[in-house]
C-alpha cells in the first residue's frame, strides 16, 4: 500500500514503522550472542584438548560439543529469521556489528582479557562500541528515510 493511501486510511499506523524493526534487532542480537557463546565454548574445547593431562580430562568435551552444536544451530536460525522478514542488506551489517560487540564483551569478561588493557584502552574500546551502536541507528534511520523518498 502506498504511503499516501496509508496516511488516509490510518494516519497513526505510520508511527508503528519504527517499532516493526525491533524484532529484527532482537533476532540479530540473539544470533550474535549465541555465536559469541559458541566461540567461547570453542576456546574452552581447544584449551581442554591442549592442556589435558590425563585421558579423563577429555570427558569435559562431552559437555562442550553439544553446547557448540546447539549454539551454532541457534545462530543460523536467528540470522535466517532476520533475513526472512527483513532485507539482507540491513540485517547482515547489523549482525556483524553486534557480533563484534558481543565478542569484545565475551573476551573482556569471560576470558578475563580486561586485565591486559589500561583505562585509556578500555575507554577506546567503549568509544568504538558506542560508535558501532550509532552506526546501527544511522543504518536504521537511513532505511527509514529511503522508504519515505520512495513513496
Amino acid at each position: 500500500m502506498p504511503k499516501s493511501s496509508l496516511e488516509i486510511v490510518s494516519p497513526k499506523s505510520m508511527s508503528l514503522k519504527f517499532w516493526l524493526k525491533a524484532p529484527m534487532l532482537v533476532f540479530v542480537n540473539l544470533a550474535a550472542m549465541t555465536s559469541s557463546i559458541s566461540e567461547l565454548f570453542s576456546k574452552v574445547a581447544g584449551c581442554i584438548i591442549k592442556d589435558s593431562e590425563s585421558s579423563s580430562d577429555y570427558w569435559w568435551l562431552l559437555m562442550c560439543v553439544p553446547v557448540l552444536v546447539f549454539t551454532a544451530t541457534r545462530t543460523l536460525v536467528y540470522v535466517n529469521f532476520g533475513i526472512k522478514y527483513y532485507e539482507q542488506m540491513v540485517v547482515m551489517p547489523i549482525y556483524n556489528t553486534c557480533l563484534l560487540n558481543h565478542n569484545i564483551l565475551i573476551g573482556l569478561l569471560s576470558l578475563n582479557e580486561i586485565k591486559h588493557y589500561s583505562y585509556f584502552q578500555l575507554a577506546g574500546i567503549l568509544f568504538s562500541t558506542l560508535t558501532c551502536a550509532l552506526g546501527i541507528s544511522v543504518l536504521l534511520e537511513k532505511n527509514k528515510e529511503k522508504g519515505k523518498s520512495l513513496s
Side-chain angles (χ1 to χ4, degrees), residues 58-89:
Y58 290 108
W59 287 104
W60 287 103
L61 289 175
L62 293 177
M63 181 193 74
C64 289
V65 171
V67 172
L68 279 169
V69 170
F70 176 76
T71 55
T73 56
R74 288 289 96 194
T75 299
L76 291 174
V77 167
Y78 294 141
V79 169
N80 284 331
F81 271 137
I83 292 173
K84 180 179 177 182
Y85 297 113
Y86 300 96
E87 294 179 39
Q88 182 177 357
M89 294 300 291

Side-chain angles (χ1 to χ4, degrees), residues 33-52:
M33 282 189 271
T34 55
S35 180
S36 295
I37 292 170
S38 178
E39 290 178 25
L40 176 65
F41 273 93
S42 297
K43 172 78 172 168
V44 169
C47 288
I48 289 171
I49 291 170
K50 180 180 167 246
D51 297 334
S52 62

Side-chain angles (χ1 to χ4, degrees), residues 42-145:
S42 297
K43 172 78 172 168
V44 169
C47 288
I48 289 171
I49 291 170
K50 180 180 167 246
D51 297 334
S52 62
E53 295 176 355
S54 68
S55 60
S56 64
D57 292 340
Y58 290 108
W59 287 104
W60 287 103
L61 289 175
L62 293 177
M63 181 193 74
C64 289
V65 171
V67 172
L68 279 169
V69 170
F70 176 76
T71 55
T73 56
R74 288 289 96 194
T75 299
L76 291 174
V77 167
Y78 294 141
V79 169
N80 284 331
F81 271 137
I83 292 173
K84 180 179 177 182
Y85 297 113
Y86 300 96
E87 294 179 39
Q88 182 177 357
M89 294 300 291
V90 175
V91 172
M92 292 314 292
I94 295 173
Y95 167 70
N96 287 326
T97 303
C98 291
L99 182 62
L100 174 70
N101 288 337
H102 289 294
N103 283 343
I104 289 170
L105 188 66
I106 288 285
L108 288 176
L109 300 179
S110 298
L111 300 177
N112 202 22
E113 291 178 359
I114 198 165
K115 67 181 180 183
H116 299 292
Y117 294 102
S118 68
Y119 289 115
F120 183 73
Q121 290 171 327
L122 288 173
I125 291 172
L126 177 66
F127 177 73
S128 64
T129 302
L130 292 175
T131 303
C132 290
L134 178 68
I136 290 172
S137 66
V138 166
L139 182 63
L140 292 175
E141 289 296 317
K142 176 181 148 194
N143 287 320
K144 190 165 82 172
E145 292 298 321

